[in-house]
Amino acid sequence: MACAAHNIASSLRFPDFGPAKVFPKNHLCSGLSSSVSFVGYQKWRWSALSLSHIGEFPVSTRWSFITRASNSSNGDLQGNAFSGSGNGSAKDAEEGVAVLVIGGGGREHALCYALKQSPSCDAVFCAPGNAGIDQSGDATCISDLNISDSAAVISFCHMWGVGLVVIGPEAPLVAGLANDLVKAGIPTFGPSAEAAALEGSKDFMKKLCDKYGIPTANYRTFTNPSDAKQYVKEQGAPIVVKADGLAAGKGVIVAMTLEEAYEAIDSMLVNGAFGSAGSRVIIEEFLEGEEASFFALVDGETALPLESAQDHKRVGDGDTGLNTGGMGAYSPAPVLTKELQSAVMESIILPTVKGMATEGCKFVGVLYAGLMIEKKSGLPKLIEYNVRFGDPECQVLMMRLESDLAQVLLAATRGELGRVSLSWSSGPAMVVVMASRGYPGAYEKGTVIKNLEEAELISPMVKIFHAGTAQDSNGNFIASGGRVLGVTAKGKDLEEARARAYDAVEAIDWPEGFCRHDIGWRALKRMPLASR
């Protein structure tokens, strides 16, 4: 190996190592499972980067290399030496940008996967990530980086030359992580805390709709349970009761009877079922029609629509049972015709972007509009906004995206989306979510999942995104959450994508898991019989 690289390694107190050796576990590279290349110069066997070991390095030994997870099985050190000096800035990495994805679910795995495919992206980190993301080689997981500590995230970005942060979940956005990163000069894809109020407070979102003429369901906001119940009695059922704040996707009750509505009001305002998130409730008219998801990238002034998608919120086949975080999705969604997409942009997305700018909190990130295509009018109404990619819609969108995601997101942070056009695969994609039995209620953790590799070998068009997995002491994947896997596939048409996804599901050996068996039924129902 090159002499200069050996000298750098020695200065960092690593032992002598030859081309067939790897770092010992008590140093920087512990676990040793997937490969990392250092700006195309070095390839080492690697699993998760440990911050406790990074902390051992003196400031004077910062270097300008950037890591990138790869699927290479070659653990040798190759090529020329890297520099032992430098300020760690992204511009030092001539081959591209290093990206840090914040989060650890299926959405974040899909983002890591798409970023890894980006020609301009030389490194993908994910904090905290999960076992599946790490083992797939789609990112280097930073399991001990506290994403609630802005100072720690900023320090990591400076140390490792991160040139773009992509914030996946809503909680860090509402808490103001993007504010702190932008203030530190780190390009960040995700809205400020002020702009994230579009999701953090349904009352805020509704008032914005009122002020700027954005079509949405009629509503009233209450903090007094008696007043809320009186309003429900006057309006009648069915009716919708929503917690004002973040409730992990569980704060919406579609009450089919007055009694159900009264119970929902009591659970939130009296019993505190959702804590401070439910200290205020929105009572909303029930809209009849078909739900769809609409996504647009926003740079503060310009909005760039993504391809359409539709998810399945109910836990059971035939859209029965409790609402969940999403049991599956597909893209494109036939319900969102080109005409409807134009209507959504003109009547909902663009007025929101302009309204937020007028209110002094420009929105930078993803606007995820949950829509109802009303049965009686055929027109879209806004149900709610999310301020990040949807899960599981993100999985199918990232499978279909053919553009350089890193460059697209950087353009959004720079206010340059007007120069961007997106390229998508023509064939659709579908994701089937596998969840732990009992979800969305109580479920068992730690159950063993087998045959994941075999399932992905069903077709080159199949990809399994990990949402809630860990590894046990024997190296087996185990379930660590409610929604655990997103089995995703592409095809020349929706039938083929569906067949591949369900074939992969069948190949997975996980008796304690379950899935819906009718993902895509609405779209398939629209297809001509001859094409089914």
Side-chain angles (χ1 to χ4, degrees), residues 296-305 345 349-350 353 363 365 412 415-420:
L297 305 181
V298 182
D299 66 4
E301 297 181 357
T302 301
L304 181 66
M345 284 295 292
I349 300 297
L350 293 178
V353 173
F363 189 96
E416 298 174 353
L417 278 181
R419 305 178 185 179
V420 172

Short mmCIF file of all heavy atoms in Angstrom, two decimals, residues 296-305 345 349-350 353 363 365 412 415-420:
data_model
loop_
_atom_site.label_atom_id
_atom_site.label_comp_id
_atom_site.label_asym_id
_atom_site.label_seq_id
_atom_site.Cartn_x
_atom_site.Cartn_y
_atom_site.Cartn_z
N ALA A 296 -44.45 17.63 -3.68
CA ALA A 296 -43.75 18.66 -4.45
C ALA A 296 -42.51 19.09 -3.69
O ALA A 296 -42.55 19.28 -2.47
CB ALA A 296 -44.65 19.86 -4.70
N LEU A 297 -41.40 19.21 -4.40
CA LEU A 297 -40.19 19.80 -3.83
C LEU A 297 -40.33 21.31 -3.89
O LEU A 297 -40.81 21.86 -4.88
CB LEU A 297 -38.95 19.35 -4.62
CG LEU A 297 -38.73 17.85 -4.78
CD1 LEU A 297 -37.44 17.60 -5.58
CD2 LEU A 297 -38.68 17.15 -3.44
N VAL A 298 -39.89 21.99 -2.84
CA VAL A 298 -40.06 23.43 -2.74
C VAL A 298 -38.75 24.07 -2.30
O VAL A 298 -38.07 23.56 -1.40
CB VAL A 298 -41.17 23.79 -1.74
CG1 VAL A 298 -41.39 25.29 -1.68
CG2 VAL A 298 -42.47 23.08 -2.09
N ASP A 299 -38.39 25.19 -2.95
CA ASP A 299 -37.15 25.88 -2.59
C ASP A 299 -37.39 27.23 -1.94
O ASP A 299 -36.49 28.06 -1.86
CB ASP A 299 -36.24 26.04 -3.81
CG ASP A 299 -36.82 26.97 -4.88
OD1 ASP A 299 -37.90 27.57 -4.65
OD2 ASP A 299 -36.20 27.10 -5.95
N GLY A 300 -38.62 27.44 -1.47
CA GLY A 300 -38.98 28.72 -0.87
C GLY A 300 -39.91 29.51 -1.75
O GLY A 300 -40.80 30.22 -1.26
N GLU A 301 -39.70 29.41 -3.07
CA GLU A 301 -40.53 30.15 -4.02
C GLU A 301 -41.06 29.28 -5.15
O GLU A 301 -42.17 29.48 -5.63
CB GLU A 301 -39.74 31.33 -4.60
CG GLU A 301 -39.33 32.37 -3.57
CD GLU A 301 -38.58 33.53 -4.17
OE1 GLU A 301 -38.32 33.50 -5.40
OE2 GLU A 301 -38.24 34.48 -3.44
N THR A 302 -40.26 28.32 -5.57
CA THR A 302 -40.63 27.45 -6.70
C THR A 302 -41.02 26.07 -6.19
O THR A 302 -40.39 25.55 -5.26
CB THR A 302 -39.45 27.31 -7.69
OG1 THR A 302 -39.08 28.61 -8.16
CG2 THR A 302 -39.82 26.43 -8.86
N ALA A 303 -42.04 25.48 -6.78
CA ALA A 303 -42.47 24.13 -6.43
C ALA A 303 -42.35 23.23 -7.65
O ALA A 303 -42.78 23.59 -8.75
CB ALA A 303 -43.91 24.13 -5.93
N LEU A 304 -41.75 22.06 -7.45
CA LEU A 304 -41.53 21.09 -8.52
C LEU A 304 -42.27 19.81 -8.16
O LEU A 304 -41.89 19.12 -7.21
CB LEU A 304 -40.04 20.82 -8.68
CG LEU A 304 -39.60 19.84 -9.77
CD1 LEU A 304 -39.90 20.41 -11.16
CD2 LEU A 304 -38.11 19.53 -9.64
N PRO A 305 -43.35 19.47 -8.89
CA PRO A 305 -44.12 18.28 -8.52
C PRO A 305 -43.36 16.98 -8.78
O PRO A 305 -42.60 16.88 -9.75
CB PRO A 305 -45.36 18.38 -9.41
CG PRO A 305 -44.92 19.18 -10.59
CD PRO A 305 -43.91 20.16 -10.06
N MET A 345 -51.67 21.63 -8.13
CA MET A 345 -50.60 22.62 -8.12
C MET A 345 -51.17 24.04 -8.05
O MET A 345 -50.69 24.87 -7.25
CB MET A 345 -49.73 22.46 -9.38
CG MET A 345 -48.77 21.29 -9.34
SD MET A 345 -47.49 21.43 -8.06
CE MET A 345 -46.51 22.80 -8.70
N ILE A 349 -50.90 23.66 -3.89
CA ILE A 349 -49.45 23.75 -3.63
C ILE A 349 -48.93 25.17 -3.80
O ILE A 349 -48.29 25.73 -2.88
CB ILE A 349 -48.68 22.78 -4.55
CG1 ILE A 349 -49.12 21.33 -4.32
CG2 ILE A 349 -47.18 22.95 -4.32
CD1 ILE A 349 -48.84 20.80 -2.94
N LEU A 350 -49.17 25.80 -4.94
CA LEU A 350 -48.60 27.13 -5.19
C LEU A 350 -49.16 28.19 -4.23
O LEU A 350 -48.38 29.02 -3.72
CB LEU A 350 -48.82 27.53 -6.66
CG LEU A 350 -48.05 26.69 -7.67
CD1 LEU A 350 -48.36 27.13 -9.10
CD2 LEU A 350 -46.53 26.77 -7.42
N VAL A 353 -47.20 27.72 -1.00
CA VAL A 353 -45.82 28.22 -1.08
C VAL A 353 -45.80 29.74 -1.00
O VAL A 353 -45.00 30.33 -0.24
CB VAL A 353 -45.15 27.72 -2.38
CG1 VAL A 353 -43.77 28.35 -2.55
CG2 VAL A 353 -45.04 26.20 -2.37
N PHE A 363 -40.87 28.07 2.82
CA PHE A 363 -40.80 26.61 2.97
C PHE A 363 -39.75 26.04 2.02
O PHE A 363 -39.81 26.26 0.81
CB PHE A 363 -42.17 25.99 2.66
CG PHE A 363 -42.25 24.52 2.98
CD1 PHE A 363 -42.77 24.09 4.18
CD2 PHE A 363 -41.76 23.56 2.09
CE1 PHE A 363 -42.83 22.73 4.50
CE2 PHE A 363 -41.81 22.21 2.39
CZ PHE A 363 -42.35 21.80 3.60
N GLY A 365 -38.17 22.24 1.27
CA GLY A 365 -38.28 20.82 1.59
C GLY A 365 -39.34 20.17 0.73
O GLY A 365 -39.56 20.57 -0.42
N ALA A 412 -32.69 22.62 -4.40
CA ALA A 412 -33.77 23.14 -3.55
C ALA A 412 -33.20 24.01 -2.43
O ALA A 412 -33.76 25.06 -2.11
CB ALA A 412 -34.58 21.99 -2.97
N GLY A 415 -32.33 27.49 -3.75
CA GLY A 415 -33.36 28.27 -4.43
C GLY A 415 -33.29 28.17 -5.93
O GLY A 415 -33.66 29.10 -6.65
N GLU A 416 -32.84 27.00 -6.44
CA GLU A 416 -32.61 26.85 -7.88
C GLU A 416 -33.46 25.76 -8.53
O GLU A 416 -33.10 25.21 -9.56
CB GLU A 416 -31.13 26.55 -8.13
CG GLU A 416 -30.20 27.66 -7.67
CD GLU A 416 -28.72 27.29 -7.79
OE1 GLU A 416 -28.44 26.11 -8.13
OE2 GLU A 416 -27.88 28.17 -7.56
N LEU A 417 -34.62 25.45 -7.95
CA LEU A 417 -35.45 24.39 -8.52
C LEU A 417 -36.02 24.75 -9.89
O LEU A 417 -36.41 23.87 -10.66
CB LEU A 417 -36.60 24.05 -7.57
CG LEU A 417 -36.28 23.09 -6.43
CD1 LEU A 417 -37.53 22.84 -5.59
CD2 LEU A 417 -35.72 21.76 -6.96
N GLY A 418 -36.06 26.04 -10.19
CA GLY A 418 -36.55 26.47 -11.49
C GLY A 418 -35.70 25.95 -12.63
O GLY A 418 -36.17 25.90 -13.78
N ARG A 419 -34.48 25.54 -12.34
CA ARG A 419 -33.58 25.02 -13.38
C ARG A 419 -33.62 23.50 -13.48
O ARG A 419 -32.91 22.90 -14.29
CB ARG A 419 -32.14 25.43 -13.07
CG ARG A 419 -31.93 26.93 -12.89
CD ARG A 419 -30.47 27.22 -12.54
NE ARG A 419 -30.24 28.63 -12.25
CZ ARG A 419 -29.07 29.13 -11.89
NH1 ARG A 419 -28.02 28.32 -11.76
NH2 ARG A 419 -28.93 30.42 -11.65
N VAL A 420 -34.44 22.86 -12.64
CA VAL A 420 -34.41 21.39 -12.52
C VAL A 420 -35.59 20.77 -13.24
O VAL A 420 -36.72 21.27 -13.18
CB VAL A 420 -34.43 20.98 -11.03
CG1 VAL A 420 -34.59 19.47 -10.88
CG2 VAL A 420 -33.16 21.46 -10.34
#
